[in-house]
Amino acid sequence: MSDETAGTAATVAFVGLGNMGTPMSARLIAAGYAVRGFDLSEDARGRLTQAGGTPAASAAEAAAGADLIVLMLPNSAIVNAVADELLSAEALAEGALVVDMSSSEPLETRALAERLSEYGVRLVDAPVSGGVKGAQGGTLTIMVGGADDDVAEAGVALEHLGRVVPTGAVGSGHAVKALNNLLSATHLWVTSEAIEAGKRFGLDPEVMLSVFNGSSGRSGSTENKWPNFILPGTFDSGFGLRLMLKDMRIAAGLARAVGAPTGLGEDAIGFWATAADELDAAADHTRVAEWIASHTAGDASRTTEGGTPMT
């Protein structure tokens, strides 16, 4: 798909129109693409219509004849199920390019790429970081793994969604995304513990954040999550706690698969899992700060490898 093709309303199939998929598909429409989208939610399909896209009755209907097929789904199991549907419906022509922007498991992604290649279908993985605001503003970081030519082809459309960063072979995008979220989650947890300790000592959270952000303790949690979603009490980053926990587990599983140490990561997973068990199923991941604030020393279970609580 060339720049010239994009300028003449190339067709993009977009499967998965949730918190991220809706604004991402809207940006593609605004950039001149003809977007056919599918989501199980009727409301989500309605939002696509309002943005100028065409809702489809199924993933296969959306993908048939599309120049690019984008998947923005919760996990590898659903990605594989949708891929099976597309293959069985013969909705993927030979040479089709599938872009998996979900937070999938890297080894599953490689296996899917091999399976699709048997049908002459190409796959790149392109997970994102930046949240709903990044999706709305076109400022996402997009980690793209795959063959160079495929990454370049997908990048023509993806550049309208944010900064495209080639990461290596297929599966590498999903690997670095999971590792990034393990870092992000660990930062958020310890930041929340530190700020809660400071509050109980009598420090002002805004003063603490000002110091942290001008010092070596700064992170995405101190610069973005705490000031924008936690201090205001909105807890509306648009990224669910359980999705964060899923990505953390993917990262730890990858570390184990390659024989890398993952002690602190496993402990962080255990802490997050404890909070997930007690918080609402739809809780935003920034709610862990509120959960931490409601506890006292020793309330959160320390964990062993694998996130199993220690007794």
Side-chain angles (χ1 to χ4, degrees), residues 195-211:
I195 290 178
E196 183 59 24
K199 285 169 60 181
R200 295 188 190 190
F201 183 74
L203 293 171
D204 184 329
E206 292 188 4
V207 171
M208 285 188 279
L209 288 172
S210 176
V211 172

Side-chain angles (χ1 to χ4, degrees), residues 117-175:
S117 70
E118 296 174 2
Y119 296 84
V121 175
R122 301 167 294 153
L123 174 73
V124 299
D125 53 310
V128 303
S129 181
V132 173
K133 287 188 176 181
Q136 293 169 337
T139 59
L140 295 169
T141 295
I142 308 170
M143 299 147 265
V144 190
D148 290 346
D149 289 346
D150 297 340
V151 169
E153 183 175 336
V156 175
L158 297 180
E159 66 183 8
H160 297 289
L161 306 178
R163 179 174 66 101
V164 176
V165 182
T167 54
V170 68
S172 62
H174 284 146

